Amino acid sequence: MGASEEVHVCWTIDCEATQEAISDIKMGVRSIRGFVELLAEAGLKGTLFVLPSDAVAYPVLLRELASQGLEIGLHYHPQEEGHRDFCGAYSEIEQMVMYSEATTKLSDSVGFQPRTFRTGSCSANDATFPVTEELGYTSCSHSMPGRNMANLRSNWVGAPHNPHFTHAANRLLPGSMDLVEVPITTDPDSMLWSGGHAQDLPVELF
């Protein structure tokens, strides 16, 4: 296969076993191990985006996986940390406080600083990328191109589909920040939920 035909794949999983709607740590751990084992059989590794409360619940497993070369990143649903709205509803200062506390909670649990970050429901606004970079993250996966769901504060119509350096003032544009955004893969020709959600590719569909 020539260089022009190479396909780069980034497999990720959102680790949300402690989320109130799930609240099943044993199931979460089984799911993570199954995900990692399937990737290993294919000679691949992946990224785990972990809620701070999940990191507190099973830090030994996360440290074990990190030692095997898997990436452990922050995942954040404000509602799980006592806030009412989605990430994209908060100001730059509010996001800085929220994500800083979450980063510390995860870091204290696993023993190292995460380098990548994904907001819950892909909810973000134009302050999210600058805050993410200022907190020391080098990459993120906040965007879901094509999604247009104001109720989730998640609007990504026109956002790039490919990994790109982020823009300091506009989340929909590539820019010159050092922070790299790796969008969730979506199919722009498969719109669901009254046209608000471009179909992504979760493993449960296969």
Side-chain angles (χ1 to χ4, degrees):
M1 179 180 289
S4 62
E5 299 175 318
E6 289 182 351
V7 176
H8 299 273
V9 178
C10 180
W11 291 103
T12 70
I13 183 173
D14 293 347
C15 302
E16 305 176 327
T18 58
Q19 197 171 33
E20 185 177 356
I22 302 172
S23 192
D24 191 335
I25 295 171
K26 290 184 178 179
M27 182 187 71
V29 169
R30 289 198 307 271
S31 298
I32 290 169
R33 289 197 180 279
F35 174 75
V36 171
E37 288 171 5
L38 285 172
L39 291 182
E41 289 176 6
L44 302 172
K45 299 187 186 298
T47 298
L48 283 66
F49 288 103
V50 183
L51 289 178
S53 50
D54 271 50
V56 172
Y58 45 86
V60 174
L61 171 62
L62 297 175
R63 287 195 290 268
E64 171 193 329
L65 296 178
S67 71
Q68 295 173 11
L70 285 96
E71 187 78 21
I72 308 300
L74 174 66
H75 189 42
Y76 189 82
H77 281 277
Q79 297 87 344
E80 301 303 313
E81 299 295 324
H83 305 283
R84 292 186 177 182
D85 215 325
F86 294 86
C87 292
Y90 294 99
S91 69
E92 180 177 4
I93 293 175
E94 289 170 326
Q95 289 185 69
M96 181 66 70
V97 172
M98 292 159 59
Y99 305 157
S100 177
E101 291 176 351
T103 300
T104 297
K105 189 173 180 180
L106 191 151
S107 300
D108 287 349
S109 296
V110 299
F112 55 84
Q113 169 88 15
R115 298 180 299 177
T116 191
F117 175 25
R118 173 181 287 165
T119 54
S121 305
C122 293
S123 183
N125 57 35
D126 288 336
T128 304
F129 286 142
V131 169
T132 299
E133 183 180 61
E134 189 169 343
L135 287 173
Y137 290 95
T138 57
S139 68
C140 52
S141 183
H142 296 319
S143 66
M144 184 176 284
R147 173 171 277 194
N148 185 24
M149 302 188 72
N151 61 313
L152 301 179
R153 318 300 187 240
S154 182
N155 298 284
W156 295 103
V157 175
H161 282 264
N162 296 319
H164 57 279
F165 288 104
T166 49
H167 196 286
N170 191 320
R171 69 188 181 282
L172 301 179
L173 299 176
S176 58
M177 294 172 62
D178 289 334
L179 180 70
V180 175
E181 165 68 8
V182 182
I184 293 175
T185 299
T186 58
D187 179 3
D189 296 324
S190 298
M191 299 299 294
L192 306 177
W193 304 340
S194 300
H197 172 72
Q199 179 64 67
D200 54 330
L201 303 174
V203 294
E204 56 264 29
L205 291 182
F206 298 95

CSV table of all heavy atoms in Angstrom, one decimal, residues 118-169:
chain,number,residue,atom,x,y,z
A,118,ARG,N,-12.0,15.1,25.8
A,118,ARG,CA,-13.2,15.1,25.0
A,118,ARG,C,-14.4,15.6,26.0
A,118,ARG,O,-14.6,15.0,27.0
A,118,ARG,CB,-13.6,13.7,24.5
A,118,ARG,CG,-15.0,13.6,23.8
A,118,ARG,CD,-15.2,12.3,23.2
A,118,ARG,NE,-14.4,12.0,22.1
A,118,ARG,CZ,-14.3,10.8,21.5
A,118,ARG,NH1,-14.8,9.7,22.1
A,118,ARG,NH2,-13.5,10.6,20.4
A,119,THR,N,-15.1,16.6,25.5
A,119,THR,CA,-16.3,17.0,26.3
A,119,THR,C,-17.4,16.1,26.1
A,119,THR,O,-17.6,15.4,25.0
A,119,THR,CB,-16.7,18.4,25.9
A,119,THR,OG1,-16.9,18.5,24.5
A,119,THR,CG2,-15.7,19.5,26.3
A,120,GLY,N,-18.3,15.9,27.1
A,120,GLY,CA,-19.5,15.1,26.9
A,120,GLY,C,-20.5,15.7,25.9
A,120,GLY,O,-20.6,16.9,25.8
A,121,SER,N,-21.0,14.8,25.1
A,121,SER,CA,-22.0,15.2,24.1
A,121,SER,C,-21.4,16.1,23.0
A,121,SER,O,-22.1,16.7,22.2
A,121,SER,CB,-23.2,15.9,24.7
A,121,SER,OG,-23.8,15.1,25.7
A,122,CYS,N,-20.1,16.1,22.9
A,122,CYS,CA,-19.4,17.0,22.0
A,122,CYS,C,-19.9,18.4,22.1
A,122,CYS,O,-20.0,19.2,21.2
A,122,CYS,CB,-19.5,16.5,20.5
A,122,CYS,SG,-18.7,15.0,20.2
A,123,SER,N,-20.1,18.8,23.4
A,123,SER,CA,-20.6,20.1,23.7
A,123,SER,C,-19.5,21.1,23.9
A,123,SER,O,-18.6,20.8,24.7
A,123,SER,CB,-21.5,20.1,24.9
A,123,SER,OG,-22.1,21.3,25.2
A,124,ALA,N,-19.5,22.2,23.2
A,124,ALA,CA,-18.4,23.2,23.2
A,124,ALA,C,-18.8,24.5,22.7
A,124,ALA,O,-19.9,24.6,22.0
A,124,ALA,CB,-17.2,22.7,22.4
A,125,ASN,N,-18.0,25.5,22.9
A,125,ASN,CA,-18.2,26.8,22.3
A,125,ASN,C,-16.8,27.4,21.9
A,125,ASN,O,-15.8,26.6,22.0
A,125,ASN,CB,-19.0,27.8,23.2
A,125,ASN,CG,-18.3,28.0,24.5
A,125,ASN,OD1,-17.1,28.0,24.6
A,125,ASN,ND2,-19.1,28.2,25.6
A,126,ASP,N,-16.8,28.6,21.5
A,126,ASP,CA,-15.5,29.1,20.9
A,126,ASP,C,-14.4,29.3,22.0
A,126,ASP,O,-13.3,29.5,21.7
A,126,ASP,CB,-15.7,30.5,20.2
A,126,ASP,CG,-16.4,30.3,18.9
A,126,ASP,OD1,-16.4,29.2,18.3
A,126,ASP,OD2,-17.1,31.2,18.4
A,127,ALA,N,-14.8,29.2,23.3
A,127,ALA,CA,-13.8,29.3,24.4
A,127,ALA,C,-13.2,27.9,24.7
A,127,ALA,O,-12.1,27.9,25.3
A,127,ALA,CB,-14.4,29.8,25.6
A,128,THR,N,-13.8,26.9,24.2
A,128,THR,CA,-13.3,25.5,24.6
A,128,THR,C,-11.9,25.2,24.2
A,128,THR,O,-11.2,24.6,25.0
A,128,THR,CB,-14.4,24.5,24.2
A,128,THR,OG1,-15.7,24.8,24.6
A,128,THR,CG2,-14.0,23.1,24.7
A,129,PHE,N,-11.6,25.4,22.9
A,129,PHE,CA,-10.2,25.1,22.5
A,129,PHE,C,-9.2,25.9,23.2
A,129,PHE,O,-8.2,25.3,23.7
A,129,PHE,CB,-10.1,25.2,21.0
A,129,PHE,CG,-10.8,24.2,20.2
A,129,PHE,CD1,-11.5,24.5,19.0
A,129,PHE,CD2,-10.8,22.9,20.5
A,129,PHE,CE1,-12.1,23.6,18.2
A,129,PHE,CE2,-11.5,21.9,19.8
A,129,PHE,CZ,-12.1,22.2,18.6
A,130,PRO,N,-9.3,27.2,23.3
A,130,PRO,CA,-8.3,27.9,24.1
A,130,PRO,C,-8.1,27.4,25.5
A,130,PRO,O,-7.0,27.3,26.1
A,130,PRO,CB,-8.7,29.4,24.0
A,130,PRO,CG,-9.5,29.4,22.8
A,130,PRO,CD,-10.2,28.1,22.7
A,131,VAL,N,-9.2,27.1,26.2
A,131,VAL,CA,-9.2,26.6,27.6
A,131,VAL,C,-8.5,25.3,27.6
A,131,VAL,O,-7.6,25.0,28.5
A,131,VAL,CB,-10.6,26.5,28.2
A,131,VAL,CG1,-10.5,25.7,29.5
A,131,VAL,CG2,-11.2,27.9,28.4
A,132,THR,N,-8.8,24.4,26.7
A,132,THR,CA,-8.2,23.1,26.6
A,132,THR,C,-6.7,23.2,26.5
A,132,THR,O,-5.9,22.5,27.2
A,132,THR,CB,-8.8,22.3,25.4
A,132,THR,OG1,-10.2,22.1,25.6
A,132,THR,CG2,-8.1,20.9,25.3
A,133,GLU,N,-6.2,24.1,25.6
A,133,GLU,CA,-4.8,24.3,25.4
A,133,GLU,C,-4.1,24.9,26.6
A,133,GLU,O,-3.0,24.4,27.1
A,133,GLU,CB,-4.5,25.1,24.2
A,133,GLU,CG,-3.0,25.3,23.9
A,133,GLU,CD,-2.7,26.2,22.7
A,133,GLU,OE1,-3.1,27.4,22.7
A,133,GLU,OE2,-2.1,25.7,21.7
A,134,GLU,N,-4.8,25.8,27.3
A,134,GLU,CA,-4.2,26.5,28.4
A,134,GLU,C,-4.0,25.5,29.6
A,134,GLU,O,-3.1,25.7,30.4
A,134,GLU,CB,-5.0,27.7,28.8
A,134,GLU,CG,-4.4,28.6,29.9
A,134,GLU,CD,-5.1,29.9,30.1
A,134,GLU,OE1,-5.9,30.3,29.3
A,134,GLU,OE2,-4.8,30.5,31.2
A,135,LEU,N,-4.8,24.5,29.7
A,135,LEU,CA,-4.7,23.5,30.7
A,135,LEU,C,-3.7,22.5,30.5
A,135,LEU,O,-3.5,21.6,31.3
A,135,LEU,CB,-6.1,22.9,30.9
A,135,LEU,CG,-7.1,23.7,31.6
A,135,LEU,CD1,-8.5,23.0,31.6
A,135,LEU,CD2,-6.7,24.1,33.0
A,136,GLY,N,-3.0,22.6,29.4
A,136,GLY,CA,-1.8,21.7,29.1
A,136,GLY,C,-2.1,20.6,28.2
A,136,GLY,O,-1.2,19.7,28.0
A,137,TYR,N,-3.3,20.5,27.6
A,137,TYR,CA,-3.6,19.4,26.7
A,137,TYR,C,-3.0,19.7,25.3
A,137,TYR,O,-2.9,20.8,24.9
A,137,TYR,CB,-5.2,19.3,26.6
A,137,TYR,CG,-5.8,18.7,27.8
A,137,TYR,CD1,-6.4,19.6,28.8
A,137,TYR,CD2,-5.8,17.3,28.0
A,137,TYR,CE1,-6.9,19.1,29.9
A,137,TYR,CE2,-6.4,16.8,29.2
A,137,TYR,CZ,-7.0,17.7,30.1
A,137,TYR,OH,-7.5,17.2,31.3
A,138,THR,N,-2.6,18.6,24.7
A,138,THR,CA,-1.9,18.7,23.4
A,138,THR,C,-2.9,18.3,22.3
A,138,THR,O,-2.6,18.6,21.1
A,138,THR,CB,-0.6,17.9,23.3
A,138,THR,OG1,-0.9,16.5,23.6
A,138,THR,CG2,0.4,18.4,24.3
A,139,SER,N,-3.9,17.6,22.6
A,139,SER,CA,-4.9,17.1,21.6
A,139,SER,C,-6.3,17.0,22.3
A,139,SER,O,-6.4,17.0,23.5
A,139,SER,CB,-4.5,15.8,21.0
A,139,SER,OG,-4.6,14.7,22.0
A,140,CYS,N,-7.3,17.0,21.4
A,140,CYS,CA,-8.7,16.9,22.0
A,140,CYS,C,-9.5,16.2,20.9
A,140,CYS,O,-9.1,16.1,19.7
A,140,CYS,CB,-9.2,18.2,22.4
A,140,CYS,SG,-9.1,19.5,21.2
A,141,SER,N,-10.8,15.9,21.3
A,141,SER,CA,-11.7,15.3,20.4
A,141,SER,C,-13.1,15.8,20.7
A,141,SER,O,-14.0,15.1,21.1
A,141,SER,CB,-11.7,13.8,20.4
A,141,SER,OG,-12.5,13.2,19.5
A,142,HIS,N,-13.2,17.1,20.7
A,142,HIS,CA,-14.5,17.8,21.1
A,142,HIS,C,-15.5,17.8,20.0
A,142,HIS,O,-16.7,17.9,20.3
A,142,HIS,CB,-14.2,19.2,21.5
A,142,HIS,CG,-13.3,19.4,22.6
A,142,HIS,ND1,-13.4,18.6,23.8
A,142,HIS,CD2,-12.3,20.3,22.9
A,142,HIS,CE1,-12.5,19.0,24.7
A,142,HIS,NE2,-11.8,20.1,24.1
A,143,SER,N,-15.2,17.7,18.7
A,143,SER,CA,-16.1,18.0,17.7
A,143,SER,C,-16.7,16.8,17.0
A,143,SER,O,-16.1,15.7,17.0
A,143,SER,CB,-15.4,18.8,16.6
A,143,SER,OG,-14.4,18.0,15.9
A,144,MET,N,-18.0,16.9,16.6
A,144,MET,CA,-18.7,15.9,15.8
A,144,MET,C,-19.3,16.7,14.6
A,144,MET,O,-20.4,17.2,14.6
A,144,MET,CB,-19.8,15.3,16.6
A,144,MET,CG,-20.5,14.2,15.9
A,144,MET,SD,-21.8,13.3,16.9
A,144,MET,CE,-20.8,12.3,18.0
A,145,PRO,N,-18.5,16.7,13.5
A,145,PRO,CA,-18.9,17.5,12.3
A,145,PRO,C,-20.3,17.2,11.9
A,145,PRO,O,-20.7,16.0,11.7
A,145,PRO,CB,-17.9,17.1,11.3
A,145,PRO,CG,-16.6,16.7,12.1
A,145,PRO,CD,-17.2,16.0,13.3
A,146,GLY,N,-21.1,18.2,11.6
A,146,GLY,CA,-22.4,18.1,11.1
A,146,GLY,C,-23.5,18.1,12.2
A,146,GLY,O,-24.7,18.4,11.9
A,147,ARG,N,-23.1,17.9,13.5
A,147,ARG,CA,-24.1,17.9,14.6
A,147,ARG,C,-24.6,19.3,14.7
A,147,ARG,O,-23.8,20.3,14.7
A,147,ARG,CB,-23.5,17.4,15.9
A,147,ARG,CG,-24.4,17.6,17.1
A,147,ARG,CD,-23.9,16.9,18.3
A,147,ARG,NE,-24.3,15.5,18.3
A,147,ARG,CZ,-24.2,14.7,19.4
A,147,ARG,NH1,-23.8,15.1,20.5
A,147,ARG,NH2,-24.6,13.4,19.3
A,148,ASN,N,-25.9,19.4,15.0
A,148,ASN,CA,-26.5,20.7,15.1
A,148,ASN,C,-27.6,20.6,16.2
A,148,ASN,O,-28.8,20.6,15.9
A,148,ASN,CB,-27.1,21.3,13.8
A,148,ASN,CG,-27.7,22.7,14.0
A,148,ASN,OD1,-27.3,23.4,14.8
A,148,ASN,ND2,-28.6,23.0,13.1
A,149,MET,N,-27.2,20.5,17.5
A,149,MET,CA,-28.2,20.2,18.5
A,149,MET,C,-28.0,21.3,19.6
A,149,MET,O,-27.2,21.1,20.5
A,149,MET,CB,-27.9,18.8,19.1
A,149,MET,CG,-28.1,17.7,18.0
A,149,MET,SD,-28.0,16.0,18.6
A,149,MET,CE,-29.6,16.0,19.5
A,150,ALA,N,-28.8,22.3,19.5
A,150,ALA,CA,-28.6,23.4,20.5
A,150,ALA,C,-29.0,23.0,21.9
A,150,ALA,O,-28.5,23.6,22.8
A,150,ALA,CB,-29.5,24.6,20.0
A,151,ASN,N,-29.9,22.0,22.0
A,151,ASN,CA,-30.2,21.5,23.4
A,151,ASN,C,-29.0,20.9,24.1
A,151,ASN,O,-29.0,20.9,25.3
A,151,ASN,CB,-31.4,20.5,23.3
A,151,ASN,CG,-31.0,19.3,22.5
A,151,ASN,OD1,-30.5,19.4,21.4
A,151,ASN,ND2,-31.4,18.1,23.0
A,152,LEU,N,-28.1,20.4,23.3
A,152,LEU,CA,-26.8,19.9,23.9
A,152,LEU,C,-25.7,20.9,23.9
A,152,LEU,O,-24.6,20.6,24.3
A,152,LEU,CB,-26.4,18.6,23.2
A,152,LEU,CG,-27.4,17.4,23.1
A,152,LEU,CD1,-26.8,16.3,22.3
A,152,LEU,CD2,-27.7,17.0,24.5
A,153,ARG,N,-26.0,22.1,23.4
A,153,ARG,CA,-25.0,23.1,23.2
A,153,ARG,C,-23.8,22.6,22.3
A,153,ARG,O,-22.7,22.8,22.6
A,153,ARG,CB,-24.4,23.6,24.5
A,153,ARG,CG,-25.4,23.8,25.6
A,153,ARG,CD,-26.5,24.9,25.3
A,153,ARG,NE,-27.3,25.2,26.4
A,153,ARG,CZ,-28.7,25.0,26.4
A,153,ARG,NH1,-29.3,24.5,25.4
A,153,ARG,NH2,-29.4,25.3,27.5
A,154,SER,N,-24.3,21.8,21.3
A,154,SER,CA,-23.3,21.1,20.4
A,154,SER,C,-23.6,21.4,19.0
A,154,SER,O,-24.5,20.8,18.4
A,154,SER,CB,-23.4,19.6,20.7
A,154,SER,OG,-22.5,18.9,19.9
A,155,ASN,N,-22.9,22.4,18.4
A,155,ASN,CA,-23.2,22.9,17.1
A,155,ASN,C,-21.9,22.8,16.3
A,155,ASN,O,-20.9,23.6,16.5
A,155,ASN,CB,-23.7,24.3,17.1
A,155,ASN,CG,-25.1,24.4,17.8
A,155,ASN,OD1,-26.1,24.0,17.3
A,155,ASN,ND2,-25.0,24.9,19.1
A,156,TRP,N,-21.8,21.9,15.3
A,156,TRP,CA,-20.6,21.7,14.6
A,156,TRP,C,-20.8,21.6,13.1
A,156,TRP,O,-20.1,21.0,12.3
A,156,TRP,CB,-19.9,20.3,15.0
A,156,TRP,CG,-19.4,20.4,16.4
A,156,TRP,CD1,-20.1,19.8,17.5
A,156,TRP,CD2,-18.3,21.0,16.9
A,156,TRP,NE1,-19.3,20.0,18.7
A,156,TRP,CE2,-18.2,20.8,18.3
A,156,TRP,CE3,-17.2,21.7,16.3
A,156,TRP,CZ2,-17.2,21.3,19.1
A,156,TRP,CZ3,-16.2,22.2,17.1
A,156,TRP,CH2,-16.2,22.0,18.5
A,157,VAL,N,-21.8,22.3,12.6
A,157,VAL,CA,-22.1,22.4,11.2
A,157,VAL,C,-21.0,23.2,10.5
A,157,VAL,O,-20.7,24.3,10.9
A,157,VAL,CB,-23.5,23.1,10.9
A,157,VAL,CG1,-23.7,23.3,9.4
A,157,VAL,CG2,-24.6,22.3,11.5
A,158,GLY,N,-20.3,22.6,9.5
A,158,GLY,CA,-19.2,23.2,8.8
A,158,GLY,C,-17.9,22.9,9.4
A,158,GLY,O,-16.9,23.4,8.9
A,159,ALA,N,-17.8,22.2,10.5
A,159,ALA,CA,-16.5,21.9,11.1
A,159,ALA,C,-15.7,20.9,10.3
A,159,ALA,O,-16.3,20.1,9.6
A,159,ALA,CB,-16.7,21.3,12.5
A,160,PRO,N,-14.4,21.0,10.3
A,160,PRO,CA,-13.6,20.1,9.5
A,160,PRO,C,-13.8,18.6,9.9
A,160,PRO,O,-13.9,18.3,11.1
A,160,PRO,CB,-12.1,20.5,9.9
A,160,PRO,CG,-12.3,21.9,10.4
A,160,PRO,CD,-13.6,22.0,11.1
A,161,HIS,N,-13.7,17.7,9.0
A,161,HIS,CA,-13.8,16.3,9.2
A,161,HIS,C,-12.5,15.7,9.6
A,161,HIS,O,-12.5,14.6,10.1
A,161,HIS,CB,-14.5,15.6,8.0
A,161,HIS,CG,-15.9,15.8,7.9
A,161,HIS,ND1,-16.8,14.9,8.4
A,161,HIS,CD2,-16.7,16.8,7.4
A,161,HIS,CE1,-18.1,15.3,8.2
A,161,HIS,NE2,-18.0,16.5,7.6
A,162,ASN,N,-11.4,16.3,9.2
A,162,ASN,CA,-10.1,15.7,9.4
A,162,ASN,C,-9.4,16.3,10.6
A,162,ASN,O,-9.7,17.5,11.0
A,162,ASN,CB,-9.2,15.9,8.1
A,162,ASN,CG,-9.8,15.2,6.9
A,162,ASN,OD1,-10.3,14.1,7.0
A,162,ASN,ND2,-9.8,15.9,5.8
A,163,PRO,N,-8.4,15.6,11.2
A,163,PRO,CA,-7.6,16.2,12.3
A,163,PRO,C,-7.0,17.5,11.8
A,163,PRO,O,-6.5,17.6,10.7
A,163,PRO,CB,-6.6,15.1,12.6
A,163,PRO,CG,-7.2,13.9,12.1
A,163,PRO,CD,-8.0,14.2,10.9
A,164,HIS,N,-6.9,18.5,12.7
A,164,HIS,CA,-6.4,19.8,12.4
A,164,HIS,C,-5.9,20.6,13.6
A,164,HIS,O,-6.4,20.3,14.7
A,164,HIS,CB,-7.5,20.6,11.6
A,164,HIS,CG,-8.7,20.8,12.4
A,164,HIS,ND1,-9.7,19.8,12.5
A,164,HIS,CD2,-9.2,21.8,13.2
A,164,HIS,CE1,-10.7,20.2,13.3
A,164,HIS,NE2,-10.4,21.5,13.7
A,165,PHE,N,-5.1,21.5,13.4
A,165,PHE,CA,-4.7,22.5,14.4
A,165,PHE,C,-5.9,23.4,14.7
A,165,PHE,O,-6.6,23.8,13.7
A,165,PHE,CB,-3.5,23.3,14.1
A,165,PHE,CG,-2.2,22.4,14.1
A,165,PHE,CD1,-1.6,22.0,12.9
A,165,PHE,CD2,-1.6,22.1,15.3
A,165,PHE,CE1,-0.5,21.2,13.0
A,165,PHE,CE2,-0.5,21.3,15.4
A,165,PHE,CZ,0.1,20.9,14.2
A,166,THR,N,-6.2,23.8,15.9
A,166,THR,CA,-7.4,24.5,16.3
A,166,THR,C,-7.2,26.0,16.1
A,166,THR,O,-6.1,26.5,16.1
A,166,THR,CB,-7.8,24.2,17.7
A,166,THR,OG1,-6.7,24.3,18.6
A,166,THR,CG2,-8.3,22.7,17.8
A,167,HIS,N,-8.3,26.7,16.1
A,167,HIS,CA,-8.4,28.1,15.9
A,167,HIS,C,-8.7,28.8,17.3
A,167,HIS,O,-9.6,28.3,18.0
A,167,HIS,CB,-9.5,28.5,14.9
A,167,HIS,CG,-9.4,29.9,14.4
A,167,HIS,ND1,-9.7,31.0,15.1
A,167,HIS,CD2,-9.0,30.4,13.2
A,167,HIS,CE1,-9.6,32.1,14.4
A,167,HIS,NE2,-9.1,31.7,13.2
A,168,ALA,N,-8.0,29.9,17.6
A,168,ALA,CA,-8.2,30.5,18.9
A,168,ALA,C,-9.5,31.2,19.1
A,168,ALA,O,-9.9,31.5,20.2
A,168,ALA,CB,-7.0,31.4,19.2
A,169,ALA,N,-10.2,31.5,18.0
A,169,ALA,CA,-11.4,32.3,18.1
A,169,ALA,C,-12.6,31.7,17.5
A,169,ALA,O,-13.7,32.1,17.8
A,169,ALA,CB,-11.2,33.7,17.4
